[in-house]
Amino acid sequence: MKVLRSRELVAVYNKVSGRTTLPEVVVTGLVDMFRGPAVDGVARLVRQQRGVPEDGAHYFEEIQIVSRHNLHFASVLASGDAAIMLITARTTDRQEAWHALRRSIPALDVALGARPAR
C-alpha cells in the first residue's frame, strides 16, 4: 500500500468528536511533511551540511509540531509508504505521547502488510 504516494487515508479515530473523517487538507499536510518538495529540499540541505551522501531515500522519519492548543506527533512506518499521526492536548507528556505512537507502529506495519524494521 503506497499511502504516502497516493495520499490515501487509511483510518481516523477522533476521541474528542468521535468522527471517523478528516479534512483532505490534513491528510495532504501530513504527506507533505514527509514527502513534499519543500521538505525534500530541506533534507538535501541537511544532508549536505552533515556530509551525508544523497542516496535517494527520504531523510525525515519523525516530526513533532506544537500548535496553540495541541501537540502533533508523526512517524513514517517501516515500509516508508505510510505514516501515522497522533494529535493530543498540550498538557500531554511528550515522552508518553512518543511512546504511545511508537508502540503502535509494529501492529500497523503488520496490518498494512509491511515487515516491521524498527
Side-chain angles (χ1 to χ4, degrees), residues 22-77:
L22 196 63
E24 182 62 29
V25 68
V26 177
V27 176
T28 299
L30 176 61
V31 172
D32 286 349
M33 281 189 277
F34 288 111
R35 301 292 188 261
V39 79
D40 286 343
V42 170
R44 276 192 296 281
L45 288 172
V46 170
R47 280 187 166 119
Q48 288 173 351
Q49 290 176 348
R50 303 242 185 264
V52 176
E54 180 63 52
D55 62 1
H58 295 286
Y59 192 71
F60 297 110
E61 297 175 357
E62 293 183 329
I63 297 171
Q64 179 181 334
I65 299 171
V66 178
S67 65
R68 183 167 294 200
H69 302 290
N70 298 304
L71 299 173
H72 309 251
F73 302 87
S75 183
V76 175
L77 302 184

Side-chain angles (χ1 to χ4, degrees), residues 70-92:
N70 298 304
L71 299 173
H72 309 251
F73 302 87
S75 183
V76 175
L77 302 184
S79 68
D81 290 331
I84 180 175
M85 177 176 271
L86 169 67
I87 303 172
T88 187
R90 283 192 69 161
T91 56
T92 302

Side-chain angles (χ1 to χ4, degrees), residues 6-21:
S6 70
R7 298 176 183 258
E8 177 184 355
L9 179 63
V10 175
V12 172
Y13 174 72
N14 186 327
K15 185 177 179 181
V16 175
S17 71
R19 291 185 190 162
T20 57
T21 60

